[in-house]
Amino acid sequence: MIANLTPQEGVVMAKTYETQREALKRKDRHAPSKPVTGLVQQINTLNQFHSTFRPMISKYKFPSAACGAFSIANSILLAKLLSERRKKAKGVDKAMSAEELEAIVAVLRSPAKVTPLVERVMKKISEDRAKYVAKHKKTAFTSKKAEDKYMQDWVANYEISDWFIKFSSSLLKKEGSDTATDDTDDACSAADMTNVHFLRYNQWPERNGSTFEEKERLVEEKVFGGEKTGDKVKVELEEGASRFIVESFVPERKLRRPEEWLAMKSEGKGKEGAKSPAEGARSHLSEVFLLDVNGHFVTSFSCHLEKKVSSDCRQGQREGWWQLNPENALRRMYQQMCQIPIGDV
C-alpha cells in the first residue's frame, strides 16, 4: 500500500502514476468480459493534510481527513472545465491534448481555485451536522465528547449525496431566474452537472453498524441487495445484488446499478437531443465521477486522449480514466473499483 502523505509534504503533490486498463483484474459480477482498452492514470493535486487547510478545518470542526470536501470541490470544478471545453468544440467530445490536460490539472492544483469551494462544502456539512446535534441533543448527544466525535467524524456517503442534491436543486431553480441565492453562483451550471456522478459502494450490507441519520438513509440502498451483513467490499452478495451504485443528480436524482447507467448512456438518454445510440454513447466520453474507494474519496474523469499524451496509443486515441486525488490512493483504487467500465466506444 502506498503510504499516505503527511502534513510535512508540500501543498501541491506533483507525482503521477499510471497503468493500462488491460492489466487490471476483477472478479465481481460487474466486471466486463474484456476491459476497455485505455490508460488509468492518477494525477495528484492538493495535499489535504497541509497546514494551509488547518484553519479552515478547525473553523468548521471538520475531520482532519477532508477528502470528502476536496472531492466534491474537484468534481464541481471539473464539471465546469469539461463543459466549457465541450462548448468550444460545439458539443463534440474531441480527443484531449496534453496541453488541455495540463491546464485542467493546473486549476485543481491551485489552492486559490480549490479552497473557496472546499470551504463552501465544509460550511454546509458542518451546519447540517450542527442542526442534527441540536435536534437530538437530549437523546443522542448528552456529552461534549459525543458531540465533538459526531461533528468531526469522516464525511459519509449520504452527506456527499445530500450536498450534490441541494447544489443541483439550487442550480435548476436558478435557471430562468435573474436572482441568485447563497447556494447558487458561477461554480458551474445545471447543464454541467448532468455529467457528474457519485460512484459508490452499496452500503446496505453494513446497516447493522450504521448510526444516526446514516441508518435511516441506508434504507434506499436496500433495493440493490445485500441480504448478508458485513463489510461492503468483501461480503458475499446474493444473485442479482449490486456491489456498486451510480448516483446522478441532473435532471433528477437517480440511483442506478453500473449496468443500468451504461445502458442509459448507450441508449442516448444521458444526452439531451441524442439522435442515435452511437451519439448517446459518445455523450459519456467526458464524465466526472466522485469515487467511494472504501475509506477514501477521489475525483476522476474519463476522456479520449491525443496520441502524444501516451506513447502506446492505438489509432491516435486512447480512453483515459483520470484520478485527481487530494491524497495518494492509487493501489486501493486499482484493487477495488477502477475497472468499472466507462463504455466500449
Side-chain angles (χ1 to χ4, degrees), residues 67-87:
C67 55
F70 276 89
S71 294
I72 292 174
N74 283 343
S75 297
I76 299 300
L77 289 169
L78 268 174
K80 185 172 184 178
L81 290 168
L82 293 174
S83 179
E84 289 175 345
R85 178 178 180 272
R86 195 178 294 113
K87 289 175 183 176

Side-chain angles (χ1 to χ4, degrees), residues 279-292:
E279 182 179 349
R282 287 196 297 274
S283 72
H284 66 274
L285 297 187
S286 292
E287 302 279 348
V288 178
F289 298 89
L290 195 156
L291 305 173
D292 159 20

Side-chain angles (χ1 to χ4, degrees), residues 38-86:
L39 179 72
V40 179
Q41 183 168 7
Q42 174 177 312
I43 303 175
N44 288 340
T45 53
L46 295 178
N47 179 4
Q48 63 172 319
F49 297 112
H50 194 268
S51 58
T52 298
F53 307 114
R54 289 179 196 165
M56 185 168 58
I57 288 173
S58 177
K59 178 180 178 180
Y60 297 107
K61 298 182 180 180
F62 216 74
S64 58
C67 55
F70 276 89
S71 294
I72 292 174
N74 283 343
S75 297
I76 299 300
L77 289 169
L78 268 174
K80 185 172 184 178
L81 290 168
L82 293 174
S83 179
E84 289 175 345
R85 178 178 180 272
R86 195 178 294 113

Side-chain angles (χ1 to χ4, degrees), residues 225-241:
E227 295 176 355
K228 293 183 178 180
T229 58
D231 185 277
K232 60 186 179 183
V233 179
K234 300 177 181 178
V235 68
E236 182 182 352
L237 296 176
E238 70 275 13
E239 185 66 29

Side-chain angles (χ1 to χ4, degrees), residues 226-255:
E227 295 176 355
K228 293 183 178 180
T229 58
D231 185 277
K232 60 186 179 183
V233 179
K234 300 177 181 178
V235 68
E236 182 182 352
L237 296 176
E238 70 275 13
E239 185 66 29
S242 179
R243 182 76 67 183
F244 304 114
I245 299 170
V246 184
E247 181 177 12
S248 303
F249 306 93
V250 174
E252 62 179 350
R253 188 207 180 208
K254 189 78 173 179
L255 302 177

Side-chain angles (χ1 to χ4, degrees), residues 37 122 125 138 199 213 250 299 302 323:
T37 299
M122 288 184 177
I125 291 177
K138 293 183 179 180
L199 177 53
E213 64 264 62
V250 174
T299 308
S302 57
Q323 295 170 224

Side-chain angles (χ1 to χ4, degrees), residues 133-152:
V133 168
K135 186 177 180 179
H136 299 85
K137 200 172 186 67
K138 293 183 179 180
T139 55
F141 304 101
T142 56
S143 68
K144 182 68 164 54
K145 182 178 180 181
E147 182 178 329
D148 289 344
K149 184 178 184 300
Y150 174 83
M151 290 296 297
Q152 297 175 359

